[in-house]
Amino acid sequence: MVDKSLLKLEMVDKWSVKPTLAEKLVDILHFMSDKSQITTEELVQHFGFTPTTAKRYLRQLTEFGYLEAMGGNKNRCYKLKEINKASERFEGLSDAAEKSAGRATKTPHVDSSSIADEASKSSDDSP
């Protein structure tokens, strides 16, 4: 399963959901990680959501591309969709963030003697 904090961060950044909602959605995905599929009723029982809230969360996760809905309205179930590709994205994001942080903290080394040498050369060349 993907790191929960990275998944939450992606939801907040990419879809502009509130952090509290993102945390609930990540908890649902984490709950589903060891299940082949889930129904709205299972979410209601496990998390204590109302059926309407559970359906809304499942619909959002489907729209965001984390779940795949199967079946009709009365017998609809959901399964995880390509979560491994998401984890590969997160590894790439964290690598990029580390490189970016490294660039932000490093300052280029400038040899002050070479600057002085260049300045003296240009003053010698002037008429």
Side-chain angles (χ1 to χ4, degrees):
M1 186 66 195
V2 185
D3 182 16
K4 290 172 87 173
S5 61
L6 289 175
L7 191 56
K8 178 181 168 186
L9 181 64
E10 181 189 66
M11 287 183 185
V12 170
D13 289 344
K14 190 171 182 179
W15 293 288
S16 301
V17 297
K18 293 181 181 178
T20 53
L21 174 59
E23 192 167 333
K24 291 174 187 173
L25 297 176
V26 169
D27 287 342
I28 292 169
L29 292 175
H30 186 69
F31 174 69
M32 291 181 65
S33 65
D34 62 340
K35 301 180 181 329
S36 60
Q37 60 186 25
I38 193 169
T39 63
T40 305
E41 292 78 25
E42 289 176 273
L43 277 188
V44 169
Q45 290 174 356
H46 185 268
F47 289 101
F49 301 141
T50 65
T52 303
T53 300
K55 288 176 188 176
R56 183 176 65 243
Y57 290 163
L58 290 168
R59 184 181 68 246
Q60 286 175 318
L61 288 168
T62 303
E63 289 172 2
F64 295 163
Y66 294 105
L67 299 181
E68 183 178 346
M70 302 175 303
N73 285 336
K74 294 195 180 217
N75 61 351
R76 181 163 292 161
C77 61
Y78 298 84
K79 70 176 187 174
L80 288 174
K81 181 179 174 183
E82 297 183 34
I83 209 71
N84 289 336
K85 287 189 178 180
S87 68
E88 290 171 8
R89 271 196 329 254
F90 295 128
E91 289 172 10
L93 287 174
S94 60
D95 291 344
E98 287 175 15
K99 288 178 185 175
S100 173
R103 280 193 302 253
T105 58
K106 291 181 183 175
T107 56
H109 175 71
V110 177
D111 185 12
S112 59
S113 63
S114 64
I115 294 174
D117 290 343
E118 289 294 321
S120 68
K121 284 181 187 176
S122 63
S123 64
D124 292 342
D125 295 339
S126 52

